[in-house]
Amino acid sequence: MNSPAETGETTETDTEGYHKTLGNRQIQMIGIGGAIGVGLFLGAGGKLAATGPALLLSYLLCGVVALFVMRALAELVLHRPSAGSFVTYSREFVGPWAGFVTGWMYWLNWAMVAVAETTAIGHYLQRWFPGLPVWAGALLSLAGVLSVNLVSVKLFGELEFWFSTIKVLAIIVFLVVGAGLLIYGAHLGSAPASVANLVDHGGFFPHGFAMPFLALQSVVFAYAAIELVGVAAGEAAEPRKSIPRAVNSVIWRIAVFYVGSILVLATLMPWSDYQAGVSPFVTVFSRLGVPWVGDVMNLVVLTAAMSSANSGIYATGRILRALADRGEAPRFTARMSRRRIPVGAIAMTCGVCLLGVVLNIVVPDDAFDVATGIASLGVVTTWAMIMIAQERLRRRALRGELVRPSFRLPGAPWTNWATVGFLGLVVVLMGFSGGSSLIAVCAIPVLVVALGVGWWLVSRRRVS
């Protein structure tokens, strides 16, 4: 008789051994907190400078796609909550190979996100400690998030709640203060704060109509991590109640925070006043003339990066363990501690993050961009597989093989294929963006070969 690992049949091993301790407020904040990281707090400055006010369109478009992905994932979660999340659903509805590919690409995504976030922390710390190398700050932050994740999931959930609360409050304060500065017409940059900054200084598309599309890769990275809600469902106390609430909450909050923040930033100062490598939020608050405001905002963005890195270590631990339970990852990654923490999987991710520290020593100016470019490939793969799995669930429900949850993806199957097509377009455009995006595209053949060989070895071992 074939084992579940061979047939792709879903078992409960994905959630065995975990404590169901995460509540609704924590799950909501995990989804929000994971997504609000360096993609917004650090990356938005460089993208505004490269794209201009038209960056708003990039965030709006990616926000709509993120909405479809979240609703599709919620439908899958309500079908069967699992700590393996979309890995489990890809395996169940698409095939065993799909679970293998999705799991490893998501692990790669979050491993690279952790590298990017810890790199950003190293940059933030230099504001207060100019002599501290970026790699040293990255190493210190990695030690911190590793410690949190090894203690207990309850501590992780509680810290993530408060980390995320700080980020959310900071953005709310920024939006309120920014609106006041806009009404007052404050002079923070080379021109007064005004809605006219959206169309002056070269127009709404100062670098051409193509730039908002070329920016999509980095904007997709900024929205990444909203799918953490699905991973957290495996350790949720009442997933069927908390997940729909969390999804609805995360969607509208992320949309307001992201699109709203970019709109305020683009009106407070001309787009040309922002620069890559510097948080646009720190730039704005530093120009208010109050000495300590910039430092407070720097502390907030540092907390945001810590929060996102913390979420990354959490997610990869659960995904890798789900793979290991089926013989699709190294055996040691299935190991659980007495506190019910997947210590083996977390250790493997942190090992890759240490390579990120080395990357910061070798190419300190490019480490962040290289990490985010490769991470985007994992995001695109995961989101696409979520949409395909949900479409397969819908088909099986139409055939009467299962009952489709009432909380559904609107517009299916058209929204499924539109989303998958959009994600494919993002990958194609990455090849025209140059720099780190081109490095990521060049890595695609290597990843395809590695995953193909890996799946062949797994399948061969099962047959023998």
Side-chain angles (χ1 to χ4, degrees):
M1 180 181 292
N2 291 336
S3 68
E6 295 174 81
T7 62
E9 179 184 339
T10 303
T11 69
E12 293 305 314
T13 57
D14 293 322
T15 56
E16 279 181 2
Y18 291 115
H19 291 309
K20 312 289 186 178
T21 55
L22 296 180
N24 179 57
R25 68 182 177 90
Q26 293 169 325
I27 289 177
Q28 288 191 36
M29 283 303 186
I30 286 171
I32 295 171
I36 301 177
V38 294
L40 176 64
F41 281 118
L42 182 62
K47 287 305 169 186
L48 265 173
T51 308
L55 184 64
L56 270 169
L57 300 180
S58 305
Y59 273 87
L60 281 169
L61 185 56
C62 288
V64 173
V65 171
L67 162 66
F68 293 151
V69 171
M70 286 291 285
R71 288 298 297 257
L73 179 57
E75 187 172 339
L76 291 164
V77 168
L78 294 178
H79 162 69
R80 181 180 291 111
S82 167
S85 192
F86 28 81
V87 176
T88 301
Y89 309 134
S90 298
R91 183 180 293 118
E92 178 179 358
F93 293 106
V94 183
W97 66 269
F100 176 84
V101 170
T102 304
W104 278 109
M105 287 301 291
Y106 194 64
W107 174 80
L108 177 67
N109 162 41
W110 269 114
M112 291 299 101
V113 167
V115 170
E117 301 287 0
T118 53
T119 297
I121 291 170
H123 284 290
Y124 296 149
L125 287 174
Q126 286 186 327
R127 179 181 175 90
W128 301 312
F129 309 102
L132 182 70
V134 173
W135 68 264
L139 185 61
L140 288 172
S141 62
L142 177 61
V145 295
L146 175 61
S147 301
V148 169
N149 273 273
L150 291 179
V151 174
S152 74
V153 69
K154 188 172 184 179
L155 175 62
F156 161 79
E158 199 60 31
L159 281 178
E160 194 57 31
F161 172 80
W162 290 109
F163 278 162
S164 299
T165 299
I166 291 172
K167 289 189 283 189
V168 169
L169 288 176
I171 292 179
I172 292 174
V173 169
F174 171 74
L175 293 175
V176 172
V177 172
L181 293 171
L182 183 61
I183 295 171
Y184 179 71
H187 207 300
L188 302 177
S190 58
S194 170
V195 176
N197 285 325
L198 293 174
V199 292
D200 290 344
H201 318 289
F204 192 70
F205 297 92
H207 296 295
F209 292 98
M211 286 308 298
F213 293 99
L214 295 178
L216 288 176
Q217 171 256 321
S218 59
V219 177
V220 164
F221 171 76
Y223 275 100
I226 55 174
E227 70 283 338
L228 268 176
V229 169
V231 179
E235 292 173 273
E238 296 181 288
R240 300 190 186 281
K241 290 183 179 180
S242 59
I243 295 303
R245 294 177 188 170
V247 166
N248 287 332
S249 172
V250 167
I251 287 171
W252 75 259
R253 289 182 188 180
I254 291 294
V256 170
F257 294 155
Y258 271 67
V259 178
S261 294
I262 298 299
L263 178 61
V264 171
L265 287 169
T267 54
L268 286 180
M269 298 194 306
W271 57 268
S272 54
D273 286 0
Y274 297 102
Q275 57 182 320
V278 179
S279 170
F281 297 89
V282 174
T283 299
V284 169
F285 278 104
S286 295
R287 297 189 182 189
L288 289 176
V290 182
W292 51 267
V293 173
D295 289 324
V296 171
M297 198 62 206
N298 195 60
L299 178 62
V300 170
V301 296
L302 189 151
T303 301
M306 283 288 288
S307 167
S308 193
N310 194 34
S311 296
I313 301 298
Y314 169 85
T316 51
R318 275 67 188 170
I319 294 297
L320 263 188
R321 195 220 169 190
L323 289 169
D325 279 342
R326 308 184 73 88
E328 297 173 357
R331 188 175 301 174
F332 75 90
T333 58
R335 182 184 173 190
M336 297 282 281
S337 71
R338 285 180 292 181
R339 297 178 181 271
R340 314 318 301 159
I341 304 295
V343 291
I346 288 175
M348 182 170 172
T349 301
C350 287
V352 173
C353 291
L354 285 175
L355 295 178
V357 173
V358 175
L359 189 64
N360 274 288
I361 297 174
V362 179
V363 284
D365 295 333
D366 300 319
F368 177 81
D369 289 336
V370 170
T372 55
I374 295 176
S376 297
L377 296 177
V379 176
V380 167
T381 303
T382 301
W383 284 14
M385 201 60 74
I386 288 172
M387 302 308 291
I388 294 170
Q390 187 278 336
E391 166 56 12
R392 297 290 178 86
L393 179 150
R394 189 189 71 88
R395 289 186 191 177
R396 289 178 58 178
L398 290 175
R399 293 196 298 265
E401 297 174 11
L402 53 82
V403 178
R404 190 179 176 191
S406 58
F407 192 75
R408 302 174 178 179
L409 168 67
W414 306 111
T415 45
N416 297 77
W417 304 128
T419 300
V420 172
F422 170 84
L423 295 172
L425 175 64
V426 169
V427 175
V428 172
L429 291 173
M430 287 172 67
F432 294 94
S433 300
S436 61
S437 297
L438 186 58
I439 293 174
V441 172
C442 291
I444 292 176
V446 177
L447 292 172
V448 170
V449 171
L451 291 170
V453 171
W455 179 245
W456 177 76
L457 291 173
V458 168
S459 303
R460 185 182 180 189
R461 185 169 64 246
R462 287 174 180 168
V463 171
S464 60

